[in-house]
Amino acid sequence: MAINWFPGHMAKTRREIKENLKLVDAVIEIRDARIVKSSKNPDVDDICGNKPRIILLNKSDLSEGSITKEWIKSLSNENIRVSGVNCITGEGLKGIKPLLNDLLKEKHERMKAKGIVNIIDRVMVVGIPNVGKSSFINKMAKNNIAKTGDRPGVTRSRQWIKTKIGIELMDTPGILWPKLESEETQLNLAFTGAIKDEIMDIEELALNLIRRLQVDYADRLMTRYKLNELSEDPLENMNSIGRKRGAVISGGEIDYNRVSVMLLDEFRGGKLGAISLERP
């Protein structure tokens, strides 16, 4: 599977992020807690340099809690704070202000020494498509300023968003990197919807998801689809799921497209339970 998805607006966004970095005090990078490594844009380290950063592991309700804690410990350092959040419900977002205060302690002390009381921190929000940036911004601003959608590529232009807690957010469109080298990364991004389904072979993608889940989360597949046993062959398991869900067309053939769409939707919606596809 070879994916090279780098539309022109993403190249432009990369340049804008680099140019606008001087306007902000810190960066909030949002990743998917289920695929913490794959949902990291490797360009972000290079672009952001030593700028203070908070990494939010979004959709942490859909990942295994113990593995998310391992990621938080692994990624944290002197210049980076990490937290698990749910940008839809707002869980964990109250912890952002204290994290920011900790990271920008020296700046705040300098400003207070000058008699400045109402300190505004300006923060750039970055992340790959469909990772939850707009949901995060809307929750922080408590209104629907940023467009949201369950398909990548919804956010387009830069905008500043004010919050009531002394933080101004600079929104940026989601960007992927020019070439996705690892097939595992490609699949993880596609499983979670960061890459448009329209450019994927949806049936091949669902088959690969079954192949992955039958190794690490066999019990979830069996429970969700009421299977007595799993085969070593992912296609056999897809057939079993199709039959259990009545995705059968004339002649008893499995409707693979219907099974594929259903499986991916249920995985992305957390109906198979908390699943982490990557570990630190």
Side-chain angles (χ1 to χ4, degrees):
M1 183 182 294
I3 300 170
N4 191 347
W5 190 55
F6 197 62
H9 80 272
M10 290 189 175
K12 181 184 174 189
T13 297
R14 191 188 190 283
R15 289 195 303 272
E16 286 182 355
I17 288 174
K18 205 158 192 172
E19 290 167 6
N20 292 321
L21 206 60
K22 60 182 178 289
L23 303 177
V24 301
D25 302 299
V27 173
I28 289 179
E29 178 193 356
I30 302 181
R31 301 191 199 175
D32 189 319
R34 298 166 295 179
I35 54 165
V36 176
K37 184 182 174 187
S38 294
S39 60
K40 171 194 174 181
N41 186 326
D43 285 349
V44 168
D45 285 345
D46 175 50
I47 294 169
C48 295
N50 292 323
K51 186 72 73 172
R53 196 187 332 169
I54 295 173
I55 299 175
L56 298 180
L57 305 182
N58 187 31
K59 307 180 186 180
S60 58
D61 56 310
L62 301 179
S63 66
E64 285 198 63
S66 59
I67 296 176
T68 300
K69 285 178 182 176
E70 289 177 28
W71 276 114
I72 291 171
K73 186 177 178 181
S74 169
L75 295 172
S76 299
N77 64 38
E78 187 180 347
N79 210 40
I80 295 175
R81 303 292 182 269
V82 190
S83 181
V85 299
N86 180 337
C87 293
I88 299 293
T89 65
E91 185 179 350
L93 297 187
K94 286 183 179 178
I96 290 173
K97 183 63 173 175
L99 290 177
L100 205 54
N101 289 343
D102 183 32
L103 278 173
L104 302 177
K105 189 177 179 182
E106 289 182 13
K107 174 209 165 184
H108 290 181
E109 287 175 352
R110 283 197 309 271
M111 296 186 79
K112 285 175 183 175
K114 293 177 182 177
I116 300 171
V117 180
N118 295 322
I119 300 171
I120 303 295
D121 295 319
R122 305 192 95 183
V123 179
M124 179 186 288
V125 184
V126 301
I128 66 169
N130 208 32
V131 81
K133 293 191 313 305
S134 295
S135 298
F136 164 72
I137 287 169
N138 290 338
K139 206 69 182 176
M140 292 292 286
K142 292 188 165 48
N143 58 26
N144 289 324
I145 292 173
K147 295 178 183 176
T148 59
D150 61 0
R151 289 291 179 268
V154 172
T155 311
R156 280 282 187 254
S157 60
R158 189 196 68 198
Q159 51 182 320
W160 285 100
I161 295 98
K162 293 183 178 181
T163 72
K164 295 178 181 177
I165 56 172
I167 301 174
E168 285 189 2
L169 303 169
M170 179 194 286
D171 190 16
T172 60
I175 55 170
L176 285 173
W177 48 106
K179 193 174 181 183
L180 305 175
E181 299 288 354
S182 157
E183 183 177 4
E184 183 181 353
T185 297
Q186 294 174 17
L187 287 171
N188 285 340
L189 290 169
F191 291 152
T192 55
I195 296 173
K196 294 181 180 181
D197 285 344
E198 289 85 349
I199 69 168
M200 306 297 300
D201 181 326
I202 202 82
E203 295 174 16
E204 182 187 352
L205 184 62
L207 195 63
N208 275 298
L209 180 59
I210 292 172
R211 182 178 285 112
R212 183 82 63 85
L213 295 179
Q214 71 186 36
V215 173
D216 295 322
Y217 293 98
D219 56 327
R220 308 285 175 83
L221 279 177
M222 292 173 68
T223 300
R224 178 67 187 170
Y225 300 110
K226 298 180 172 59
L227 306 177
N228 295 323
E229 59 182 2
L230 287 178
S231 166
E232 290 184 7
D233 182 358
L235 182 58
E236 281 299 316
N237 294 326
M238 184 182 259
N239 290 338
S240 298
I241 291 169
R243 283 190 287 270
K244 282 288 184 179
R245 285 299 178 91
V248 180
I249 51 181
S250 58
E253 293 289 319
I254 300 297
D255 185 341
Y256 290 112
N257 185 264
R258 184 177 161 195
V259 176
S260 300
V261 170
M262 175 204 66
L263 180 73
L264 288 164
D265 281 349
E266 295 194 354
F267 166 73
R268 292 167 183 168
K271 292 181 179 177
L272 275 72
I275 289 174
S276 294
L277 294 177
E278 293 178 326
R279 298 167 185 258

